[in-house]
Amino acid sequence: MYDVVLLTLGSERDAPGGCGSGGACCGGATGDDTAPTSQTDTGQADTDQASSGQASSGQTDTEQCATERPRVPVLACADALNARGARVETVTARSDAEIDAVLARLDGPARSDGLTWPDPDSKTRLVVATASDGQLRAVLRRLVKRYAPAPSKRPADLAGNRTLPDLPPVAVLPLDPARGGTHRDLAAQLGLPRDPAAVAAAVLDGTPRRLDLLRNDGGSVTLDGALLGAADDAGRPLHWRARVEVDDTILTDGAEPLLACAVGNAGGYATLNDVALLTAPDPADGQVEVAVAVPVVVRSAWGRKRVRLEVRRARGRAVSVLPREGKVPYLDDGVEGELTRKRSWWVEPGAWAVWSI
């Protein structure tokens, strides 16, 4: 029978978005374009410093993230797993180091090249209890950091279209059932079970469903997508400029104003105020879909001016966004940030997986 680890990221229960929402709590990146702090295989910064700073209230991240006991869905899932004979451990991680200690249980046997590699036949299965997509992303970010080899140590058995091996499958236990309703989180988009007993069944009886992962040169990952742009206090979109390229296609050269740019692995940012940005984002097709919304001034037959929104789209393996002026606010898997320099995303086909039935 399997050993199952039920992992919860410690967070203030009432904090917007929970852990991973941008406060650098328990694996969540700050979302800022900060200077490099450690080298990844892209040579860029891995900015997910879980407990390196002080919260604005003067509390440390650990104090801010403290929780008293597991949430009810976690306990219910543990009961369902125990009833099936699984050996279950619940862990609340309040730092990257504590997340890494859990992920180390998924390591495979030692390799002759010295690389840390996941065990494809592991008898340990991981369930991530998530209050937000940002929390799930925080765990995947640590998996990538653990298993992605540096370019100088790239092994011969790594697929040519990948920079990391197949990551171990994870089960997703949503902590907020309401997120499957009007707010379609990633679990809802993928049709994953939300009931704790059904999640337990997927862990023990399911099969891995492999999905694409977006990596970026800021040292982070994207599971669902990113939406770049902002609005004023009245909700009106603000204009900004950037050069946006998808493979060899230039969607905009940065000379014209933009209202929004969507980078889609899944469909969380497919629409904006009833405007269809992405048409058919598929998290398992090996491509990223990108769209920009450009306001275009047109004249009627009577000479009157009006603004028409033009949406340009492209699909490919990689996308880059180069801001032309100032800071560009964005949401990436629900985590807020500001883009001040060029950011590139690329697809890792089938790099991560979820347990599903």
Side-chain angles (χ1 to χ4, degrees):
M1 184 49 66
Y2 295 105
D3 293 317
V4 180
V5 181
L6 271 163
L7 175 64
T8 302
L9 301 192
S11 64
E12 286 187 290
R13 188 165 300 181
D14 298 325
C19 188
S21 62
C25 173
C26 307
T30 63
D32 296 329
D33 267 327
T34 55
T37 55
S38 64
Q39 295 290 49
T40 68
D41 65 330
T42 64
Q44 296 292 328
D46 183 355
T47 58
D48 53 337
Q49 300 291 314
S51 55
S52 60
Q54 296 292 319
S56 59
S57 64
Q59 296 174 302
T60 64
D61 287 332
T62 300
E63 292 169 341
Q64 193 177 37
C65 288
T67 55
E68 295 179 358
R69 66 185 186 87
R71 298 270 293 269
V72 171
V74 175
L75 299 175
C77 189
D79 288 345
L81 290 164
N82 280 318
R84 291 282 304 277
R87 295 178 291 269
V88 182
E89 179 182 358
T90 59
V91 177
T92 299
R94 298 181 176 85
S95 69
D96 286 345
E98 292 179 352
I99 296 175
D100 293 345
V102 171
L103 302 183
R105 307 182 197 189
L106 306 175
D107 290 354
R111 290 170 53 108
S112 59
D113 55 16
L115 293 175
T116 301
W117 218 246
D119 185 356
D121 299 315
S122 177
K123 297 302 180 183
T124 298
R125 297 196 168 177
L126 176 64
V127 180
V128 182
T130 62
S132 68
D133 288 343
Q135 290 190 335
L136 180 61
R137 186 182 80 157
V139 176
L140 265 295
R141 185 189 301 114
R142 300 310 298 176
L143 277 172
V144 169
K145 184 173 177 63
R146 185 170 193 85
Y147 294 123
S152 61
K153 296 183 178 181
R154 181 184 178 89
D157 57 345
L158 187 60
N161 62 349
R162 293 267 292 275
T163 66
L164 69 164
D166 286 352
L167 298 177
V170 299
V172 181
L173 174 62
L175 294 177
D176 183 1
R179 292 183 182 271
T182 56
H183 177 88
R184 290 183 58 79
D185 59 10
L186 189 59
Q189 294 180 55
L190 297 176
L192 300 179
R194 308 188 77 85
D195 177 75
V199 173
V203 171
L204 300 179
D205 303 325
T207 56
R209 176 182 171 188
R210 301 221 67 88
L211 302 164
D212 301 335
L213 180 72
L214 294 183
R215 296 191 66 185
N216 69 54
D217 57 5
S220 191
V221 300
T222 300
L223 308 180
D224 186 352
L227 180 65
L228 294 87
D232 60 20
D233 293 339
R236 294 182 295 266
L238 299 174
H239 291 184
W240 52 283
R241 288 176 170 80
R243 181 182 177 91
V244 181
E245 298 181 65
V246 183
D247 291 351
D248 295 327
T249 300
I250 300 176
L251 291 179
T252 176
D253 62 4
E256 58 196 340
L258 300 177
L259 294 184
C261 173
V263 178
N265 188 38
Y269 300 105
T271 62
L272 177 65
N273 295 335
D274 298 325
V275 175
L277 296 178
L278 308 176
T279 56
D282 182 346
D285 66 355
Q287 291 189 312
V288 58
E289 183 176 359
V290 183
V292 295
V294 183
V296 177
V297 178
V298 296
R299 290 181 179 273
S300 68
W302 303 102
R304 295 177 180 175
K305 294 182 180 180
R306 65 181 181 87
V307 177
R308 175 177 59 85
L309 193 62
E310 177 181 308
V311 179
R312 303 171 190 166
R313 304 179 180 91
R315 300 173 65 84
R317 287 290 312 280
V319 55
S320 66
V321 179
L322 174 61
R324 290 302 193 192
E325 52 191 22
K327 300 178 180 179
V328 180
Y330 67 84
L331 287 175
D332 192 330
D333 284 344
V335 180
E336 297 179 359
E338 289 183 330
L339 203 62
T340 60
R341 61 174 183 258
K342 185 177 180 179
R343 172 63 48 84
S344 297
W345 290 262
W346 68 91
V347 178
E348 299 279 345
W352 74 294
V354 292
W355 289 107
S356 63
I357 295 179

